[in-house]
Amino acid sequence: MNLYVGNIAWTTTEEELENLFSQFGKVSAVRIITEGHSGRSKGFGFVEMESKEGGESAIESLDGKDFGGRDLRVNQAKERS
């Protein structure tokens, strides 16, 4: 299950996100989106969970919760068209 994770602190690392989400199940991949020229985080990313149950549990538990001084926005990622 692919999750959108928004409102993350600019200093958050992919490893920190993986550690946070791994408490809900196996994490397949983590990607924080960065600006092309500066490499600075855009404040959102994606976490791929191996199971739908793990993804749903992460959404329920982490959406609106404080992480790094910011309230995370976590939901199922929409497919690109």
Side-chain angles (χ1 to χ4, degrees), residues 1-3 24-28 48-58:
M1 177 179 224
N2 194 20
L3 304 177
F24 303 100
K26 181 105 171 87
V27 175
S28 316
E48 181 76 33
M49 302 290 293
E50 281 193 3
S51 72
K52 182 177 181 179
E53 294 80 16
E56 289 171 346
S57 180

Side-chain angles (χ1 to χ4, degrees), residues 42-77:
K42 288 188 171 186
F44 72 95
F46 298 91
V47 174
E48 181 76 33
M49 302 290 293
E50 281 193 3
S51 72
K52 182 177 181 179
E53 294 80 16
E56 289 171 346
S57 180
I59 291 169
E60 187 177 308
S61 299
L62 297 175
D63 186 46
K65 298 293 183 202
D66 178 82
F67 183 69
R70 311 278 308 256
D71 291 340
L72 293 179
R73 296 289 164 243
V74 183
N75 52 54
Q76 187 168 356

Side-chain angles (χ1 to χ4, degrees), residues 20-40:
L20 178 66
F21 280 80
S22 66
Q23 47 190 316
F24 303 100
K26 181 105 171 87
V27 175
S28 316
V30 177
R31 193 177 79 216
I32 293 177
I33 306 304
T34 57
E35 293 181 4
H37 62 283
S38 71
R40 180 178 163 189

Side-chain angles (χ1 to χ4, degrees), residues 13-25:
T13 66
E14 290 178 347
E15 184 178 346
E16 290 170 329
L17 275 186
E18 182 174 0
N19 289 338
L20 178 66
F21 280 80
S22 66
Q23 47 190 316
F24 303 100

